[in-house]
Amino acid sequence: MASKTKLIEKRKAKSEIQRKERNKTYKYTLLVVCEDENTERKYFEQFAEFFTGKEFGVISVGTGTAHVGVVNRAIEEANKRNLHIESNRNSSSDFVWVVFDRDRSDKEEEDKSKQRNFDEALVRAQEHNFKVAYSNDAFELWLLLHLEGVIPDLPIPRNDRQAFTITRHDTNLETLIQKGFYDGNITDSNPTLCIYERLEKAIRKHPNYSNYIYIHSNEYIPNDGSDNKKIIKKQIRSQKTIIEVIHDIGDELKAMERADILVKAHNGIPESSANPSTKVYCLVQEIRDWINFYKQESRGIIKDIPSRN
């Protein structure tokens, strides 16, 4: 009787999977659910054009929420799109990635709350077999790494109000280089700048973008009662987006190498304390692997599907 019950349950599970397959947009879907509705969402949308047909698709969704809110939205989106997610990510499994920031606060109690939410989001994502492409402290770190390296043991603040208690484990750059934690391409003379200022400064080193303005949100635009705000907004509307700029002058392979260095340098340190670090490169690498797989397949080259571990 027990074996018959198991057989019925197995058939029901198989039937449910088949039902979901019939209602899916793509045979295999890589769903990216982002904290930000603008930069992050658009960044991952650019990868969708590499895939044609109904075999494989990249879908990017912005939420306007943070941490657990992003994971909860990912659960909703996965269910709505009838995605089939398995822990072993086998050949019939879809993929869900959640993208959010550590998002520190200069207020102690508020920061403790953000840390708890960040840690909870990591756990909740794992419970649903989602992968996490977090950034500590902001997604802009991933963009900055396309242009220059950063020192692993020197936290980068999100804004000028944040004051970090910096504990350097090793202040000798030669030692950092020997350990592989520094690629020698840190050219910023003021590493204490907030992440948005550092990104803007790194972009301005390129002749074509010497006057580029990067504003994360309207709260960072001067509001001194003069015409400065209007002038800045006008220039922002007329210039390239940050994604277009990074695509133009950035080096994705270097960014991946630098991000990997940061993650390794923070080995053993909780993700919520590992500033600066980002795992966005893991998601980008997985997408690139799929792009290469389908390129090879279109040429008639038989190749194993990308690793799903």
Side-chain angles (χ1 to χ4, degrees):
M1 185 68 180
S3 60
K4 185 176 181 180
T5 302
K6 286 183 179 180
L7 181 61
I8 293 173
E9 290 176 351
K10 189 174 181 180
R11 285 176 177 172
K12 283 183 177 179
K14 185 177 180 180
S15 176
E16 177 64 14
I17 292 173
Q18 290 173 339
R19 182 190 66 78
K20 287 186 176 183
E21 291 293 332
R22 288 194 298 270
N23 295 319
K24 287 173 61 177
T25 304
Y26 303 103
K27 184 176 180 180
Y28 302 114
T29 299
L30 194 156
L31 174 66
V32 183
V33 181
C34 308
E35 173 181 309
D36 183 59
E37 294 179 287
N38 188 28
T39 303
E40 294 170 15
R41 176 182 62 80
K42 291 178 180 177
Y43 176 84
F44 291 105
E45 275 182 353
Q46 68 181 328
F47 292 107
E49 66 186 46
F50 289 96
F51 303 95
T52 58
K54 298 293 184 180
E55 181 74 15
F56 190 94
V58 174
I59 299 174
S60 180
V61 177
T63 66
T65 62
H67 305 134
V68 177
V70 178
V71 180
N72 289 340
R73 177 66 179 276
I75 296 170
E76 294 175 9
E77 291 291 333
N79 290 333
K80 182 174 71 175
R81 299 173 190 278
N82 296 306
L83 302 190
H84 174 58
I85 316 297
E86 291 193 4
S87 57
N88 61 359
R89 297 166 72 83
N90 62 30
S91 59
S92 65
S93 178
D94 294 299
F95 313 88
V96 176
W97 283 79
V98 287
V99 181
F100 52 82
D101 299 341
R102 163 61 171 84
D103 193 17
R104 291 173 180 268
S105 171
D106 53 307
K107 299 176 182 178
E108 185 177 354
E109 288 305 314
E110 184 176 306
D111 188 61
K112 287 181 180 178
S113 176
K114 285 177 177 287
Q115 180 175 342
R116 286 193 297 270
N117 290 337
F118 177 85
D119 291 337
E120 183 183 345
L122 295 178
V123 173
R124 189 159 173 74
Q126 186 177 29
E127 290 173 347
H128 287 81
N129 302 319
F130 299 163
K131 283 196 170 185
V132 181
Y134 71 82
S135 293
N136 191 341
D137 191 59
F139 181 78
E140 279 76 6
L141 171 63
W142 167 243
L143 303 181
L144 177 65
L145 293 176
H146 286 71
L147 306 174
E148 64 181 29
V150 301
I151 300 173
D153 64 343
L154 183 60
I156 303 177
R158 177 178 286 265
N159 57 57
D160 295 332
R161 298 187 302 274
Q162 292 179 346
F164 290 108
T165 301
I166 299 173
T167 303
R168 284 175 174 264
H169 302 291
D170 196 336
T171 55
N172 188 315
L173 286 183
E174 290 184 4
T175 305
L176 287 172
I177 293 171
Q178 290 172 2
K179 289 181 177 180
F181 292 163
Y182 170 53
D183 67 0
N185 190 30
I186 298 175
T187 55
D188 198 325
S189 59
N190 187 358
T192 60
L193 290 174
C194 78
I195 185 63
Y196 309 126
E197 292 172 322
R198 286 193 65 170
L199 179 58
E200 180 183 83
K201 189 173 181 180
I203 291 171
R204 287 186 172 189
K205 291 174 184 175
H206 295 262
N208 293 341
Y209 299 100
S210 58
N211 295 315
Y212 191 82
I213 296 176
Y214 179 67
I215 299 293
H216 175 63
S217 64
N218 287 337
E219 67 177 289
Y220 291 90
I221 299 178
N223 191 16
D224 53 9
S226 66
D227 290 333
N228 288 344
K229 191 169 186 177
K230 292 181 180 179
I231 294 172
I232 291 174
K233 281 189 171 183
K234 183 177 180 180
Q235 179 170 334
I236 291 173
R237 285 194 298 268
S238 65
Q239 67 185 14
K240 288 185 177 181
T241 67
I242 185 65
I243 297 172
E244 291 171 328
V245 172
I246 295 301
H247 186 269
D248 185 22
I249 63 176
D251 188 327
E252 187 181 271
L253 290 178
K254 272 291 185 183
M256 288 185 178
E257 292 173 5
R258 292 163 180 158
D260 187 55
I261 286 172
L262 292 179
V263 170
K264 289 177 179 176
H266 289 103
N267 184 39
I269 299 175
E271 287 95 335
S272 58
S273 301
N275 181 343
S277 67
T278 178
K279 283 196 172 179
V280 172
Y281 78 104
C282 298
L283 169 53
V284 173
Q285 183 62 65
E286 181 163 308
I287 295 174
R288 288 295 182 190
D289 287 344
W290 281 108
I291 291 172
N292 291 333
F293 171 76
Y294 281 107
K295 275 185 179 179
Q296 298 286 345
E297 188 181 66
S298 67
R299 296 171 186 165
I301 300 174
I302 305 301
K303 193 176 180 182
D304 291 337
I305 64 172
S307 172
R308 298 181 175 222
N309 296 326

